[in-house]
Structure formats: C-alpha cells, structure tokens
Amino acid sequence: MERVTLRIPKQQIEEVEQMVETGEFPNRSEAIRSAVREMLNEQDGEHETRRRAERTWAKV
C-alpha cells in the first residue's frame, strides 16, 4: 500500500473522526479508503451505463 498525503477541510475531517468514534470505521485511513472505493465504483458504473447506451440499437 502506498502512503498519500492530502489536505482536507477541517469540517470534513471532523465528520470522518465522528464516523470513527461511532465505530462506523476502525480509523480515518479506512474511512477515506472506503470513500475512494465508492467513488471508483460509481465511476465504473457510469462508464458501463454509457457503454451500454452506445451499443443500443434503435427499435423500428
């Protein structure tokens, strides 16, 4: 795994900390990894939807 340094607005990191404190995630890193996975999965879904639309035949 590679280390990435990023800057996040204080309010957002406080919200991530809250999720860790309530047990939703074991730590901040896992919360952020989860958000990145979700974003990538969403992008994959959008690309797949576009690919399907491009292959659609007109019904006559």
Side-chain angles (χ1 to χ4, degrees):
M1 210 175 288
E2 289 199 37
R3 180 178 295 211
V4 176
T5 303
L6 65 145
R7 295 182 185 273
I8 299 174
K10 186 175 181 176
Q11 181 181 351
Q12 289 177 348
I13 202 64
E14 287 172 353
E15 290 178 30
V16 170
E17 288 288 351
Q18 180 85 29
M19 296 166 103
V20 171
E21 289 173 12
T22 60
E24 191 170 341
F25 294 98
N27 54 54
R28 289 192 302 193
S29 292
E30 188 54 43
I32 293 167
R33 279 192 290 270
S34 177
V36 170
R37 279 191 301 269
E38 188 174 319
M39 177 189 66
L40 294 173
N41 288 337
E42 188 175 295
Q43 287 293 317
D44 284 347
E46 289 175 11
H47 287 116
E48 182 60 30
T49 299
R50 274 188 238 131
R51 278 186 233 124
R52 286 183 186 156
E54 290 169 358
R55 289 182 269 156
T56 303
W57 291 87
K59 294 182 181 180
V60 182

